[in-house]
Amino acid sequence: MGVIHMMTQTTCKPARTARPLHVRHWIGLVAVLLVATFPFQAMASSALKNMSYQSLSGGRVVLNFKFTGTVPTPRIFTTETPPRIAVDFDNTSLAVAKRHLKIGSGAASGVTAVSAGGRTRVVVDLFNSASYTTKVEGDRLVMIIRPVQTRSSLARHTNPSKVLPGRTGPSITGIDFHRTKAGAGRIVVNFATRGAQVNMRREGTIEIVDISNSRLPRKLAQKLDVTDFATPVVSITTRRQGHGARMQIAVKGAFEPSGYQTGNTFVIEIQPKSRTGTVPDRGGVIGNLGPKKYSGTRVTFNFQNIATRSALQLIADISNLNIVASDSVGGDVTLHLVNVPWDQALAVIMRAKGLGEQRDGNVIWIAPQTEIASFEQARAEARIRAQEAQPLVTDYIPISYGKASNIAKLLTQKSLQSNSGGAGATQSTRGFLSPRGSVTFDVRTNTLIVSDIPKKIREIRALVKVLDRPVKQVLIESRIVIATDNFTRELGARFGVNGFHRNPSGQLISTGSNLSSTSSLDNSIAAQQAVIAQNSANAAYAAQQGTTPAQPTLPPAVTFPGGLNVNLPVATPAGSFGLAILGSSYLLNLELSAAQTEGKGEVISSPRVITANQQPAIIKQGQEIGYVTYQNSGAGGAGLGGTATVQFKDAVLELKVTPTITADNRIFLDLDVKKDALAGFINNPGGGQVPQIDTRQIKTGVLVDNGQTVVLGGIYEINKQNTVTKVPGLGDIPGVGFLFRNKSRNNTKAELLIFVTPRILDDSLH
């Protein structure tokens, strides 16, 4: 007994591109017939505005059809193949928001409503045959669907402990568990002989497998903990159940069960679902041998020992494809697949029976894998024999942007494939040429000369057309910015006090900055007193003689003590303020000086260069600084007796770059940027001077978007210096301490930044 259930797969494609189901064909045909039969139907007097359902115990389903007015008299008929219930309402329009209601409970699969010519038809799709009753409640029509107890449903819902004894099937010989590459749990149940009856169903997170006519040995009646396998399956519990066995598979998370039976083996796979609710494609459900996407209409198969050719015919009907089965395809297969794409179901059948396929448009040829392999080998050998019989032709292919020698080398490179066995192994060593083909090139005209069969000539021309293209070029702009910021502030003072007087004893007391200044004052006063005394003596002598006195000699000026007590001025003052007080016997000097210097500098270097993709480029500018050194110089240095040698050092701005354009039009740059400058010269102990170079350099690799500017790196330096020179003690006096100290502050900032901007040049600009 088999059950087929087809479900519509929701996609984002327009309706006209989706593959129509048989249900849609049938509904569309009914709608056309309604329009043709009732072209002059009166306007509908009622409308179907809502459809809903409710699941009850025992597999019953209650359908509610609500109308805007009085419920029209329904006309009901049923079909067996496929199982459906159709209800017609005359003079009724369709006002439901959703014309298809998916149920998937009991015997009901779904409900679809269509309207044409003033008549509305409701079609109830069934999994299998079912009975129904209807009644009218106000503005609603209520339909109750009850499943019919068929052999398969009895096997599913009957308590195995109450099954009559006397029928025994094959015994279970082994239960194995494996993990697939996609992370699915695979349970393999082996039987001694054919004829096992297996039914699967789900209860929450438990997948139950009932084997109604089998014998379970005691050693296999156990619980297997398979958590360590990292699959959705947590545990497998197998126990006897009446005259059969029951297997309970505990599963965590969302999962998709599948099962099939072939020969003496029944295989169950528990697939994890992704977040989108779909089964992973890679290494997934049974029969998927690698990364493959299934997109066919979803179906449900539950067959016990159906002929393989019949199963293939069902898939051909569902897929609207032409399936041709080889005469060697035979045998039976048991399937239990729930809500899987039809192409996935086809893969399950082919894996179960060891089949392969060959596609040609919408025709699929299915045969045993050995038969397909023999066919492919024979076709390959025939193709090789045909190539060997074809005459050779010579073609001349001009190369515009590359080198003919490089392309010739590429065409004749040996394949990395294995040389062992199989037809065409000789051809694999010839690269892109046939076994009899050859290629050479002319350097002067940059032309390929190819001799091969016509098919290979066409292939090589197509390959050269792809390879011989202009290489993209890249403009790389770099900016090196050196910014400096200087700040200097200095405050200083000069202060001096000098004076003299005589004490009562007639001694001269003088003060000055030091002893020498005091001695100078004493000497100048003594010289002045001597001149005054001499003038007085000359005047007295002239009076005694009665003569006119001589002109008196002017006394020399008195030299007051000089120098300063505190001498802490600014070295290069920007401004100063002085104060002096001169008395009869003292002198006071005061000078305040200050200076402040601020400076900002910026050096910008911007090298740029254009180069082809993956081709290195160098650009530099600067100078070679020459200097002389001496070797084997004699004693005393200065190069005496030595050999002078002139050498050079580079102080240049240099940009080295190799760009690589990625497939998404981004650029990877292998960069070396250098900015050197002459800082000064240092003396060589052997004679001469050697230049001292300030070096700034960065080597890096960076991935940049086209036209994007990035900062490759930078160096930030700060130098702060505060200096105080003062007279101990006096310089710390609050208020007047500034007269006895010199204070300076120096701040220096330097910053180095390197920017780079690559741009892919547009070919249309050349």
Side-chain angles (χ1 to χ4, degrees), residues 484-538:
T484 58
D485 189 354
N486 299 322
F487 176 82
T488 303
R489 176 180 292 174
E490 190 174 2
L491 300 175
R494 296 200 301 175
F495 178 73
V497 178
N498 299 281
F500 69 95
H501 69 277
R502 290 187 181 275
N503 60 13
S505 301
Q507 297 174 337
L508 181 64
I509 304 299
S510 64
T511 60
S513 60
N514 46 47
L515 292 177
S516 61
S517 62
T518 303
S519 243
S520 299
L521 177 61
D522 291 341
N523 294 335
S524 62
I525 292 176
Q528 188 181 49
Q529 288 177 346
V531 171
I532 293 173
Q534 183 63 40
N535 289 335
S536 298
N538 292 337

Side-chain angles (χ1 to χ4, degrees), residues 707-763:
Q708 180 186 13
T709 299
V710 295
V711 181
L712 297 180
I715 299 174
Y716 189 63
E717 298 181 40
I718 299 178
N719 184 14
K720 293 184 178 181
Q721 184 177 3
N722 293 327
T723 304
V724 178
T725 304
K726 61 184 178 180
V727 178
L730 298 179
D732 298 326
I733 298 176
V736 297
F738 70 93
L739 299 175
F740 303 96
R741 63 174 178 256
N742 178 289
K743 183 177 181 181
S744 65
R745 185 177 68 178
N746 189 356
N747 293 340
T748 302
K749 299 178 183 179
E751 185 174 8
L752 170 66
L753 294 174
I754 300 176
F755 303 84
V756 66
T757 305
R759 289 184 176 87
I760 301 175
L761 299 182
D762 190 356
D763 294 338

Side-chain angles (χ1 to χ4, degrees), residues 14 65 80 90 93 95 113 209 213 220 242 246 355 504 526 540-541 604 652 713 751-752 765:
F65 303 100
E80 293 183 358
D90 293 334
S93 62
V209 181
N213 62 333
L220 297 180
R246 170 170 290 184
L355 303 175
Y541 178 76
I604 301 177
V652 297
E751 185 174 8
L752 170 66
L765 300 179

Side-chain angles (χ1 to χ4, degrees), residues 151-396:
R151 180 180 297 179
S152 60
S153 61
L154 285 173
R156 181 179 299 151
H157 299 292
T158 303
N159 188 346
S161 63
K162 298 181 180 179
V163 177
L164 294 177
R167 293 190 62 188
T168 57
S171 61
I172 301 175
T173 59
I175 300 174
D176 297 326
F177 180 82
H178 306 281
R179 183 182 187 276
T180 66
K181 293 181 179 180
R186 178 179 295 168
I187 302 102
V188 180
V189 183
N190 297 311
F191 298 92
T193 59
R194 295 173 177 265
Q197 296 181 4
V198 183
N199 289 282
M200 295 175 57
R201 71 179 188 274
R202 182 189 302 184
E203 293 183 1
T205 59
I206 304 295
E207 187 71 21
I208 297 178
V209 181
D210 286 331
I211 309 172
S212 58
N213 62 333
S214 64
R215 295 186 299 272
L216 179 67
R218 289 187 177 181
K219 64 179 181 179
L220 297 180
Q222 59 183 345
K223 180 178 180 180
L224 301 178
D225 187 352
V226 293
T227 308
D228 295 339
F229 286 85
T231 68
V233 182
V234 177
S235 63
I236 305 169
T237 304
T238 309
R239 66 176 185 272
R240 292 180 179 179
Q241 186 83 13
H243 291 276
R246 170 170 290 184
M247 180 181 294
Q248 293 182 335
I249 305 172
V251 186
K252 62 179 179 180
F255 66 97
E256 189 77 26
S258 300
Y260 75 94
Q261 184 175 356
T262 174
N264 303 344
T265 303
F266 188 82
V267 181
I268 307 157
E269 276 199 6
I270 306 298
Q271 282 283 348
K273 278 188 177 181
S274 64
R275 295 182 179 179
T276 58
T278 60
V279 178
D281 298 325
R282 182 174 180 86
V285 180
I286 313 159
N288 185 6
L289 302 178
K292 184 177 181 181
K293 293 184 178 180
Y294 298 113
S295 58
T297 303
R298 292 185 174 271
V299 297
T300 296
F301 284 164
N302 188 2
F303 290 113
Q304 290 285 347
N305 295 329
I306 186 176
T308 303
R309 303 178 73 88
S310 299
L312 295 176
Q313 181 61 44
L314 289 173
I315 293 178
D317 295 339
I318 295 170
S319 62
N320 289 334
L321 292 176
N322 300 313
I323 296 181
V324 179
S326 173
D327 294 338
S328 55
V329 175
D332 298 337
V333 64
T334 296
L335 296 174
H336 182 86
L337 302 175
V338 180
N339 192 26
V340 298
W342 66 261
D343 46 355
Q344 190 174 3
L346 178 61
V348 169
I349 296 173
M350 289 194 300
R351 175 172 176 174
K353 306 304 292 183
L355 303 175
E357 67 175 42
Q358 283 285 338
R359 290 182 180 246
D360 186 5
N362 65 340
V363 178
I364 302 178
W365 175 50
I366 295 179
Q369 293 181 0
T370 55
E371 185 176 337
I372 292 180
S374 299
F375 171 76
E376 290 291 340
Q377 183 175 359
R379 187 166 64 174
E381 292 175 352
R383 183 174 61 250
I384 293 175
R385 287 193 295 270
Q387 289 182 359
E388 292 175 351
Q390 284 183 320
L392 297 179
V393 296
T394 302
D395 196 8
Y396 307 94

Side-chain angles (χ1 to χ4, degrees), residues 529-583:
Q529 288 177 346
V531 171
I532 293 173
Q534 183 63 40
N535 289 335
S536 298
N538 292 337
Y541 178 76
Q544 291 177 1
Q545 297 296 327
T547 61
T548 302
Q551 186 68 28
T553 304
L554 293 176
V558 176
T559 302
F560 287 94
L564 299 170
N565 301 101
V566 177
N567 189 13
L568 298 174
V570 174
T572 307
S576 60
F577 173 77
L579 175 66
I581 301 176
L582 178 61

Side-chain angles (χ1 to χ4, degrees), residues 12 29 94 117 263 304 338 362 386 394 400 416 436 450 554 715 734:
C12 296
L29 180 60
L94 192 60
Q304 290 285 347
V338 180
N362 65 340
T394 302
S400 300
L416 297 179
R436 297 186 297 151
V450 184
L554 293 176
I715 299 174

Side-chain angles (χ1 to χ4, degrees), residues 389-442:
Q390 284 183 320
L392 297 179
V393 296
T394 302
D395 196 8
Y396 307 94
I397 305 176
I399 305 301
S400 300
Y401 302 101
K403 291 184 178 180
S405 58
N406 294 338
I407 297 181
K409 182 179 179 181
L410 175 66
L411 295 176
T412 55
Q413 277 182 338
K414 291 184 178 181
S415 174
L416 297 179
Q417 298 176 355
S418 174
N419 240 6
S420 60
T426 304
Q427 185 178 3
S428 66
T429 64
R430 296 289 299 161
F432 295 94
L433 302 174
S434 68
R436 297 186 297 151
S438 63
V439 62
T440 185
F441 57 90
D442 178 52

